[in-house]
Amino acid sequence: MRITVNGVCTDVPEGTTAEGLVEIVGMDPSRVAVEVDGDICPRARRGETVLKEGQTVEIVGFVGGG
Amino acid sequence: MRGSPFPKEVSEALRDAVVGVAGLGGMGSHVATALARTGIGHLVIADFDVVDGSNLFRQCYTPSDVGRPKAEAMRERLLEIEPDLDVVAVDARIGPDNACDVFRGCGIVCEAFDAPDQKAMLVEALLSGDGSVTVVSCSGMAGDGSSNSIVTSRPMRRLYVCGDGTSDASEGFGLTAARVMVCAGHAANMAVRLVLGHDKP
């Protein structure tokens, strides 16, 4: 199925979860914030959030320093 | 009170704003200072740490602050700059359980933590709340890269991120006051822009 990830149209397997998508894009799950269709998807819910065709996902990664 | 250099409607909007600063290290101490000087009327500042001698290279403290809680030292400094400022200093660790409570009433919170997992946690916690907060976060201000590689972006509707996105403080060079202040300027300016009704990064 096709979803939009960080602005790019992307093919992922049916049933991919938000947690699975973070793994697919190769980002450290502890260092990202994830939003699905405009709503934040907290880490506790990423594993149960099954993505659907056409959804828009934003994954924002953070590096250290502040 | 010192006179505001801005038109009345601008100084009133700034004075009425409630802005949070989470983390009072290199980023947060300079963000809070810039916001106070600009005329933001209400600040909630939070950090669990105490000022260490090594912080003086980069953070907005002086040798007499060493050993004091950052929240308390920063509160005192901000009141020296603007005696009429309403500033709540929270000397506590901010986590998913208390983030929304600590920053309740803040229309904008500037995230200025050090560790990337803590940044992600705070952004997530604040954006999971009642939908009233916009977060101005930071990512990537280490090293000696160009100032011009530090930008403000808006990856989510209620999330702005300032930084170059890649230079990690734990790799190699570390953080300089100069480059951290470039990033802090971005964050403080975005907060001011939001207060004044501008939502473009």
Side-chain angles (χ1 to χ4, degrees):
Chain A
M1 65 175 181
R2 306 198 93 179
I3 57 173
T4 302
V5 183
N6 291 354
V8 179
C9 194
T10 308
D11 263 316
V12 295
E14 288 284 339
T16 297
T17 62
E19 186 178 68
L21 182 64
V22 173
E23 198 179 317
I24 288 170
V25 300
M27 293 172 84
D28 180 340
S30 72
R31 299 179 170 203
V32 298
V34 180
E35 188 185 64
V36 179
D37 281 348
D39 291 320
I40 201 81
C41 179
R43 57 204 60 202
R45 290 214 310 266
R46 284 181 202 159
E48 65 200 43
T49 302
V50 179
L51 300 171
K52 301 186 196 77
E53 170 88 28
Q55 281 191 314
T56 298
V57 183
E58 203 64 43
I59 305 174
V60 180
F62 294 91
V63 299
Chain B
M1 181 189 165
R2 72 200 163 102
S4 171
F6 309 122
K8 188 161 174 278
E9 66 274 17
V10 172
S11 58
E12 283 180 358
L14 294 169
R15 192 193 61 204
D16 291 345
V18 188
V19 179
V21 181
L24 297 168
M27 268 294 292
S29 64
H30 288 293
V31 169
T33 303
L35 293 175
R37 283 195 197 280
T38 304
I40 296 292
H42 310 268
L43 291 176
V44 178
I45 59 172
D47 200 303
F48 67 90
D49 209 359
V50 296
V51 180
D52 182 83
S54 64
N55 297 153
L56 302 179
F57 288 103
R58 189 175 76 253
Q59 307 184 13
C60 201
Y61 303 99
T62 58
S64 63
D65 292 326
V66 171
R68 300 179 64 201
K70 288 183 178 179
E72 181 190 310
M74 185 47 52
R75 179 173 188 276
E76 207 170 281
R77 184 155 306 275
L78 296 174
L79 288 172
E80 281 171 14
I81 295 167
E82 176 51 82
D84 287 343
L85 177 71
D86 166 39
V87 52
V88 176
V90 181
D91 179 18
R93 194 179 280 273
I94 306 301
D97 299 334
N98 66 353
C100 288
D101 280 338
V102 166
F103 294 108
R104 193 171 303 285
C106 295
I108 301 157
V109 175
C110 298
E111 175 281 312
F113 285 170
D114 189 38
D117 60 325
Q118 294 300 298
K119 289 170 174 291
M121 174 281 295
L122 182 69
V123 166
E124 206 175 85
L126 291 171
L127 295 184
S128 301
D130 63 8
S132 64
V133 176
T134 297
V135 180
V136 180
S137 186
C138 61
S139 178
M141 82 270 338
D144 59 353
S146 169
S147 302
N148 297 338
S149 61
I150 290 179
V151 297
T152 302
S153 63
R154 188 189 188 183
M156 298 178 185
R157 193 169 57 83
R158 292 192 290 123
L159 175 66
Y160 296 80
V161 181
C162 306
D164 65 24
T166 56
S167 57
D168 194 311
S170 65
E171 294 166 7
F173 199 100
L175 296 154
T176 70
R179 199 156 189 263
V180 168
M181 286 170 75
V182 172
C183 195
H186 268 260
N189 189 45
M190 193 63 240
V192 168
R193 281 174 54 73
L194 286 165
V195 166
L196 299 180
H198 307 294
D199 66 356
K200 297 252 182 327

